[in-house]
């Protein structure tokens, strides 16, 4: 089976965002559900052109989707800590999805500098979000990054097990 077309990390983040945004309407019940949802994403299917995508997705976009999905409670707790007067259940789906994605990268991905995660979230916000959401997103993400830098919060230990196979 041929490999999917290569994509930039920005493109991979965009794919992850789109899949995670879709999950806000139709949540995955388990990892198999998550895989199926990822595999039928139009942007993912386009990368495989006329070929059947692998049963077990891999790559940066999948790692982001799986990570955000599996850590959503922790991510929401961090977002709640740094969003003054905003409950997670009152946030727009686009903004919440972008926040979860970026907070996941900041807290759980050692290979992504916090500034990169913030900048990428702001770019995706320009593309998909409301015009006034950028400062809201930036404020929360900046607070998360600063808290990590100053020791106000600590980066969770990396999991030794992974959901992917």
């Amino acid at each position: 089976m041929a490999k999917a077309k290569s994509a930039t990390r920005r493109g991979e983040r965009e794919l992850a965002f789109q899949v995670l945004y879709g999950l806000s309407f139709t949540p995955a019940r388990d990892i198999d559900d998550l895989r199926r949802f990822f595999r039928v994403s139009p942007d993912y299917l386009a990368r495989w052109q006329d070929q059947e995508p692998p049963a077990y997705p891999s790559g940066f976009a999948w790692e982001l989707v799986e990570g955000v999905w599996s850590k959503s409670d922790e991510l929401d707790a961090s977002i709640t800590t740094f969003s003054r007067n905003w409950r997670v259940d009152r946030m727009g789906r686009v903004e919440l999805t972008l926040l979860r994605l970026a907070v996941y990268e900041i807290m759980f991905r050692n290979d992504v500098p916090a500034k990169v995660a913030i900048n990428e979230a702001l770019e995706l916000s320009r593309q998909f979000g409301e015009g006034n959401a950028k400062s809201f997103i930036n404020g929360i993400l900046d607070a998360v990054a600063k808290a990590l830098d100053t020791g106000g919060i600590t980066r969770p230990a990396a999991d030794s097990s992974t959901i992917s196979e």
Side-chain angles (χ1 to χ4, degrees), residues 3-33:
K3 286 185 110 176
K5 293 190 298 186
S6 64
T8 63
R9 278 209 164 182
R10 177 165 288 169
E12 294 287 296
R13 275 186 192 91
E14 185 175 329
L15 171 59
F17 165 77
Q18 290 171 339
V19 171
L20 291 165
Y21 179 72
L23 288 170
S24 71
F25 294 94
T26 309
R29 295 172 304 228
D30 56 33
I31 190 66
D32 291 328
D33 225 14

Side-chain angles (χ1 to χ4, degrees), residues 50-140:
D50 295 326
Q51 301 173 22
E52 180 73 16
Y56 295 98
S58 62
F60 188 62
W62 169 249
E63 292 170 8
L64 294 175
V65 168
E66 178 190 43
V68 170
W69 179 77
S70 66
K71 304 285 188 195
S72 63
D73 290 341
E74 292 171 70
L75 299 173
D76 287 356
S78 293
I79 292 166
T80 298
T81 299
F82 296 102
S83 60
R84 295 188 180 106
N85 303 319
W86 277 93
R87 293 189 331 254
V88 169
D89 63 343
R90 297 232 17 225
M91 293 179 188
R93 291 179 193 216
V94 168
E95 292 75 23
L96 181 56
T97 302
L98 290 170
L99 286 168
R100 285 175 175 160
L101 183 57
V103 170
Y104 173 76
E105 287 192 78
I106 292 168
M107 293 183 68
F108 293 96
R109 296 290 303 216
N110 293 326
D111 61 330
V112 178
K115 286 184 180 187
V116 171
I118 293 169
N119 288 336
E120 292 295 324
L122 296 176
E123 284 299 318
L124 287 170
S125 173
R126 283 185 195 98
Q127 188 174 351
F128 297 103
E130 302 266 338
N132 58 356
K134 191 176 104 175
S135 60
F136 173 72
I137 291 168
N138 187 52
I140 293 172

Side-chain angles (χ1 to χ4, degrees), residues 36-61:
R36 274 190 299 278
F37 197 84
F38 187 86
R39 289 181 72 237
V40 300
S41 164
D43 287 332
Y44 184 69
L45 287 172
R47 293 177 182 191
W48 290 92
Q49 296 165 351
D50 295 326
Q51 301 173 22
E52 180 73 16
Y56 295 98
S58 62
F60 188 62

